[in-house]
Amino acid sequence: MSRCHFLSRQERVLLQTPMSSHQVLICRNYKGDVDMSEIDHFFTLLMQQEEEGLVCPVMSHGNVHFLWIKHSNLYLVATTNKNSNASLVYAFLYKLVEVFTEYFKELEEESIQDNFVVVYELLDELMDFGFPQTTDSKILQEYITQKGNKLEVAKTKVPTTVTNAVSWRSEGIKYKKNEVFIDVIESINVLVNANGSVMSSDIVGSIKLKTMLSGMPELRLGLNDRMLFALTGRKNQTILHCLSDELMKRISPTNVKPLIWIESVIEKFSHSRVEIMVKAKGQFKKQSVANNVEIRVPVPSDADSPKFKTSTGHAKYVPEKNLVVWSIKSFPGGKEFLMRAHFGLPSVENHELEGRPPITVKFEIPYFTVSGIQVRYMKIIEKSGYQALPWVRYITQSGDYQLRTNS
């Protein structure tokens, strides 16, 4: 990226608003290979595209390309005459918005005008000769203050976080007890059609860490990834990691059997009442238990006089959402439960036109994963040689879990 511009945009009521209402607030020239006057073509191109109803995030004038985003009453524009990495440029522009918002609370024309010194200092630190450099606001705040004056320590020593291999963690962190909490979470997405066929199912998995470790440790995490083994023949995989909140996320296209299967029967009687029977079955191993299960069953919008009977848990009518919510605190695997609901229907003429939203299910199964992934080991390597205790928790939960029914 050659240059970064902040431009103001006064809201235009008429398309004839003069170009003088648009001005360059601040500009940082990183390479000097794009003429300063090129930015004048940006708004002309933008107005032309707006009039044509086709606004593109990348615009060109000759061999100069404008990559831009809009925030509040500002346009942030990057110019380049090279075949630059557009994704990197946009990531940098959005990072600019994040950093300046954390500094000034509100990023708008007035905050730029009131903080020119700080803005220039930040632009100098955020990028060097067209390449992103330090973009973490917490690190920047260690040596660029709100007043635009550098801290005394910065005159003699650059903050250690700038030169660390891990930029988001400061040195000198100490805990009385060194621990790592690991959550292996799998979210199950399921869509079942009205005929009971599974249309789609997948797993979205993530490994999340909460670390309370002193110093600058390196973590080595060993997994028994079944899918990796199927593809490569390797029994285990090792991941090197240096302390962030989320270690890994993946999506598995593997077809997954619905863990809680729902069947429903709806009966209407003489256009005066409707009865709904819902059967729920736990299709996971008997040793496991699903907690806080909620089965949400849609009902006609004008239903009234609800009556319920459940073999376990309790059901309640939520009229503002046209739902019956059947709550089961503890649902063991292999078990089957029933819920019956009875409603009066004062008017039924348009019920066939309403359609029926799907039944949705929410649940959480601790100490269980569908894929069978396991943490085999965790090694913590730190120069002081301390020992740390890892705690591992496995959770399977519902994601977008929908079962369509016949109306």
Side-chain angles (χ1 to χ4, degrees):
M1 188 167 76
S2 298
R3 185 175 290 125
C4 184
H5 306 262
F6 281 75
L7 300 98
S8 67
R9 176 186 186 271
Q10 295 188 11
E11 295 300 328
R12 292 178 285 113
V13 179
L14 301 174
L15 291 176
Q16 292 85 353
T17 300
M19 289 299 293
S20 59
S21 64
H22 308 101
Q23 58 177 326
V24 177
L25 290 175
I26 199 165
C27 172
R28 179 64 176 90
N29 193 340
Y30 290 108
K31 287 189 172 181
D33 56 352
V34 175
D35 192 278
M36 295 286 289
S37 62
E38 286 290 339
I39 192 62
D40 296 337
H41 301 289
F42 170 75
F43 271 114
T44 302
L45 294 169
L46 183 64
M47 292 178 69
Q48 288 174 355
Q49 290 196 356
E50 285 183 346
E51 290 173 359
E52 295 169 1
L54 299 171
V55 179
C56 180
V58 180
M59 300 184 293
S60 299
H61 178 261
N63 67 342
V64 176
H65 309 290
F66 304 97
L67 295 85
W68 61 278
I69 63 173
K70 183 176 181 290
H71 178 82
S72 186
N73 61 345
L74 296 173
Y75 287 108
L76 285 76
V77 185
T79 59
T80 180
N81 58 7
K82 303 288 193 307
N83 185 19
S84 301
N85 184 330
S87 296
L88 178 63
V89 174
Y90 284 111
F92 180 78
L93 291 177
Y94 282 108
K95 194 65 180 179
L96 277 181
V97 172
E98 181 182 325
V99 169
F100 284 110
T101 300
E102 290 186 14
Y103 261 83
F104 311 132
K105 295 186 179 179
E106 297 290 338
L107 177 56
E108 53 191 17
E109 184 175 347
E110 291 75 15
S111 61
I112 297 296
Q113 291 174 335
D114 294 342
N115 296 278
F116 272 126
V117 174
V118 178
V119 171
Y120 272 119
E121 286 194 37
L122 288 170
L123 289 175
D124 283 339
E125 297 297 334
L126 284 159
M127 181 168 284
D128 182 33
F129 196 65
F131 296 97
Q133 188 174 238
T134 305
T135 59
D136 191 307
S137 62
K138 290 183 177 151
I139 296 174
L140 291 166
Q141 287 170 6
E142 289 186 27
Y143 62 107
I144 297 180
T145 68
Q146 187 76 6
K147 296 179 181 178
N149 300 317
K150 295 198 174 185
L151 298 176
E152 291 300 318
V153 67
K155 295 180 180 179
T156 57
K157 181 182 177 181
V158 176
T160 55
T161 45
V162 175
T163 55
N164 280 346
V166 183
S167 63
W168 58 83
R169 183 174 172 89
S170 300
E171 285 190 347
I173 295 176
K174 291 184 179 181
Y175 291 95
K176 290 182 179 180
K177 188 177 182 181
N178 292 293
E179 295 177 302
V180 180
F181 298 89
I182 307 171
D183 281 347
V184 180
I185 301 172
E186 292 188 341
S187 297
I188 310 300
N189 300 321
V190 171
L191 176 60
V192 178
N193 68 14
N195 296 322
S197 300
V198 179
M199 303 297 293
S200 63
S201 61
D202 58 57
I203 307 169
V204 179
S206 62
I207 298 176
K208 297 184 178 181
L209 306 181
K210 180 179 180 181
T211 58
M212 302 174 68
L213 297 176
S214 304
M216 291 294 293
E218 177 185 282
L219 276 61
R220 295 191 179 186
L221 185 67
L223 306 174
N224 74 319
D225 195 320
R226 282 187 180 178
M227 280 170 280
L228 184 71
F229 175 67
L231 292 172
T232 66
R234 293 177 59 188
K235 293 184 179 179
N236 297 289
Q237 64 170 313
T238 300
I239 300 172
L240 300 180
H241 180 59
C242 293
L243 301 182
S244 66
D245 290 332
E246 185 163 64
L247 173 58
M248 184 176 69
K249 180 170 281 188
R250 65 177 184 171
I251 297 179
S252 167
T254 306
N255 289 332
V256 180
K257 179 176 68 175
L259 298 181
I260 295 181
W261 184 257
I262 302 295
E263 294 179 10
S264 64
V265 177
I266 301 169
E267 293 184 87
K268 296 178 182 177
F269 297 89
S270 304
H271 299 293
S272 61
R273 72 184 194 276
V274 62
E275 289 188 1
I276 302 172
M277 188 276 291
V278 177
K279 179 168 68 175
K281 182 178 181 180
Q283 299 192 138
F284 48 94
K285 61 184 182 181
K286 295 180 180 179
Q287 300 93 324
S288 297
V289 176
N291 295 330
N292 303 316
V293 177
E294 279 192 0
I295 301 169
R296 301 188 170 203
V297 183
V299 298
S301 58
D302 58 350
D304 62 12
S305 306
K307 296 178 182 178
F308 305 108
K309 186 176 181 180
T310 63
S311 60
T312 191
H314 67 278
K316 67 176 181 178
Y317 178 40
V318 186
E320 63 272 19
K321 295 183 178 180
N322 301 319
L323 288 175
V324 170
V325 179
W326 181 16
S327 300
I328 304 172
K329 189 174 182 180
S330 180
F331 196 136
K335 293 292 184 178
E336 189 173 287
F337 300 114
L338 290 174
M339 185 273 292
R340 294 183 182 275
H342 176 283
F343 288 92
L345 292 177
S347 61
V348 295
E349 290 80 5
N350 296 323
H351 284 167
E352 299 300 324
L353 300 177
E354 280 189 2
R356 282 185 62 80
I359 293 175
T360 60
V361 185
K362 291 185 177 182
F363 59 85
E364 185 175 278
I365 308 176
Y367 316 111
F368 177 81
T369 62
V370 177
S371 69
I373 191 171
Q374 290 183 358
V375 175
R376 287 299 191 197
Y377 65 86
M378 169 167 279
K379 294 181 180 178
I380 299 170
I381 303 169
E382 212 277 333
K383 60 184 180 181
S384 66
Y386 63 74
Q387 298 295 313
L389 186 62
W391 301 90
V392 183
R393 181 172 61 169
Y394 299 93
I395 302 171
T396 293
Q397 61 189 17
S398 57
D400 187 7
Y401 201 104
Q402 301 184 14
L403 300 100
R404 294 174 180 166
T405 60
N406 291 311
S407 46

